[in-house]
Amino acid sequence: MPAVPVSTPELLDLMRKSGVAAADRFAAAVPDPAALPPEPGKAAGLLVQRGVITRFQAQQLLQGRHKGFKLGSHVILEQLGRGGMGVVYLAEHQELRRKVAIKVLVVGKDDDAKLAAERFFREARAAAALDHPNIVRIFDVCRHNDTPYLVMEYVDGETLQQTLDREGALPFQAAADAAAQAAAGLQHAHEKGFVHRDIKPGNLMRDRTGVVKVLDMGLARSAHNSEDKLTERLDAGAVVGTADFISPEQALNNPGVDIRADIYSLGATFFALVSGKPPFEGNTTQKLLQHQMAAAPSLTKMDATLPKGLAGVVAKMLAKKPVERFQTPAEVIAALAPWLGNSARVLAGLSQTRLAAGADLHAKLHDAAGSTGRLRRQSE
């Protein structure tokens, strides 16, 4: 069990062992270590205040922990989140001083460990194959003491689920912008042969400038990569996805799931963004059955201020039969065009797809940005 520091010199000794603070940075911020408060808690607080260590690092050091702060060339700064497959940390490259997100695999046991590892590397392969402003990028996959971890783009913002939890439903214009940006990323993934299979507010990250990025490719499948056939066998018999947002065919574990499943999940996500809650309520089994058999509640009945045309777009995204939905994410974007008051971010995403030469779609989005009111009246 780690020995808790009982004095400031012991705290500083743990800092040196941990490698969390470069010597020059420490010397610049603390020219006279002897002047620090003698109590380790107060000294740690002062070091956090001066930017020598982070609050997370201070908490760990005060518990006597000095190992695990360095992964390769990166120093762990904060813990950002924890999920079923891994723990995500904010880290900084020691030489480049570039902040990144690092996802460390949480190791299970037996078959669960094998499945977790395969999904972890599936995420790495999928993300590495994609390069798009609306998809979180991966920089590297590494190992630390046989534990794999991903080095990814750090997005300074929050997930749309966090926004919902804090603020409730979004204005429909903001929801349309977020959904269209996500659709631009999904269009790129679709062109590369990938299906995400877990689109939900918690997997859409919005940064401080309003750019939305799709994250967590752990359930993504590639139609072009034979290695995904191996992980498909591990998934056999299991329903993958999130019950609140899963498509009917995915809930049935249909092996032919394609991009239209992501369109359904994006529709359920859009529903949650504008209403504050997913389309269906109940336990997991009840939700899965409703995705199969029940029509989603009418958004216009829930909110009379929501344009009927926009509610119709969401209803089509949530059609039970894939053939009755929009067939590509690009079609979703075109349908949302009347409500994209500021389409610059969406156009930036589309410019990185094969639709970049699609003048008609671009013209429609430009027209929507300049004539939103007129187009909205025409579509309602």
Side-chain angles (χ1 to χ4, degrees), residues 17-245:
K17 291 178 180 178
S18 71
V20 296
D24 57 342
R25 186 181 296 185
F26 179 83
V30 189
D32 182 12
L36 289 170
E39 302 89 347
K42 292 182 178 179
L46 186 59
L47 292 171
V48 171
Q49 183 180 345
R50 294 184 180 180
V52 179
I53 57 177
T54 67
R55 192 173 302 276
F56 172 78
Q57 291 169 341
Q59 291 171 347
Q60 300 300 305
L61 292 167
L62 289 172
Q63 293 176 37
R65 298 176 181 142
H66 69 275
K67 296 181 179 180
F69 283 101
K70 295 183 70 175
L71 292 176
S73 300
H74 295 90
V75 174
I76 301 298
L77 302 179
E78 302 283 354
Q79 181 174 316
L80 297 177
R82 176 184 289 269
M85 287 177 56
V87 182
V88 181
Y89 297 98
L90 172 63
E92 184 180 65
H93 193 285
Q94 288 180 290
E95 300 299 331
L96 300 178
R97 299 289 170 88
R98 179 180 69 178
K99 287 184 171 61
V100 298
I102 288 183
K103 185 173 185 177
V104 181
L105 175 65
V106 173
V107 180
K109 297 180 180 179
D110 305 326
D111 290 341
D112 287 341
K114 185 177 181 182
L115 177 57
E118 288 294 346
R119 285 182 174 166
F120 192 82
F121 287 110
R122 176 192 287 173
E123 175 174 8
R125 290 191 296 268
L130 304 174
D131 183 14
H132 191 273
N134 296 118
I135 298 178
V136 171
R137 292 178 171 89
I138 182 171
F139 299 133
D140 206 354
V141 58
C142 311
R143 287 182 180 271
H144 178 74
N145 295 333
D146 294 327
T147 299
Y149 63 92
L150 305 180
V151 182
M152 305 180 295
E153 173 187 8
Y154 168 60
V155 182
D156 185 11
E158 65 179 8
T159 69
L160 294 182
Q161 185 60 59
Q162 290 172 320
T163 303
L164 282 173
D165 292 342
R166 188 185 68 254
E167 300 179 1
L170 276 62
F172 66 80
Q173 297 94 335
D177 179 71
Q181 289 189 65
L186 291 175
Q187 178 67 28
H188 174 71
H190 170 55
E191 292 171 359
K192 295 290 186 178
F194 284 94
V195 184
H196 188 282
R197 299 202 299 170
D198 198 21
I199 294 297
K200 57 185 178 181
N203 279 340
L204 299 180
M205 180 78 74
R206 184 168 60 180
D207 71 16
R208 296 185 184 277
T209 68
V211 174
V212 172
K213 294 176 181 281
V214 178
L215 56 97
D216 196 349
M217 302 295 291
L219 295 183
R221 275 177 49 185
S222 171
H224 306 324
N225 191 337
S226 60
E227 291 185 45
D228 266 4
K229 299 300 180 184
L230 299 175
T231 52
E232 184 177 327
R233 286 205 297 269
L234 289 171
D235 284 338
V239 175
V240 295
T242 303
D244 281 324
F245 306 98

Side-chain angles (χ1 to χ4, degrees), residues 143-357:
R143 287 182 180 271
H144 178 74
N145 295 333
D146 294 327
T147 299
Y149 63 92
L150 305 180
V151 182
M152 305 180 295
E153 173 187 8
Y154 168 60
V155 182
D156 185 11
E158 65 179 8
T159 69
L160 294 182
Q161 185 60 59
Q162 290 172 320
T163 303
L164 282 173
D165 292 342
R166 188 185 68 254
E167 300 179 1
L170 276 62
F172 66 80
Q173 297 94 335
D177 179 71
Q181 289 189 65
L186 291 175
Q187 178 67 28
H188 174 71
H190 170 55
E191 292 171 359
K192 295 290 186 178
F194 284 94
V195 184
H196 188 282
R197 299 202 299 170
D198 198 21
I199 294 297
K200 57 185 178 181
N203 279 340
L204 299 180
M205 180 78 74
R206 184 168 60 180
D207 71 16
R208 296 185 184 277
T209 68
V211 174
V212 172
K213 294 176 181 281
V214 178
L215 56 97
D216 196 349
M217 302 295 291
L219 295 183
R221 275 177 49 185
S222 171
H224 306 324
N225 191 337
S226 60
E227 291 185 45
D228 266 4
K229 299 300 180 184
L230 299 175
T231 52
E232 184 177 327
R233 286 205 297 269
L234 289 171
D235 284 338
V239 175
V240 295
T242 303
D244 281 324
F245 306 98
I246 195 169
S247 70
E249 64 272 24
Q250 193 172 325
L252 291 174
N253 203 20
N254 188 323
V257 165
D258 59 26
I259 193 63
R260 294 172 296 183
D262 285 346
I263 290 173
Y264 182 97
S265 296
L266 185 59
T269 295
F270 199 147
F271 188 104
L273 293 180
V274 296
S275 70
K277 60 183 181 181
F280 304 114
E281 299 179 347
N283 58 36
T284 298
T285 301
Q286 290 169 335
K287 290 174 183 176
L288 294 177
L289 286 173
Q290 290 176 91
H291 280 298
Q292 297 292 323
M293 303 170 62
S298 169
L299 281 172
T300 51
K301 289 183 179 179
M302 296 175 67
D303 181 359
T305 66
L306 192 72
K308 292 180 180 178
L310 182 56
V313 171
V314 180
K316 184 170 182 177
M317 295 172 74
L318 288 171
K320 301 301 178 187
K321 297 180 180 179
V323 70
E324 296 176 355
R325 297 174 206 149
F326 299 104
Q327 299 300 289
T328 66
E331 291 184 13
V332 173
I333 297 171
L336 291 174
W339 299 279
L340 298 177
N342 179 4
S343 64
R345 290 186 289 259
V346 179
L347 286 170
L350 284 175
S351 70
Q352 301 299 314
T353 71
R354 295 174 189 167
L355 298 172

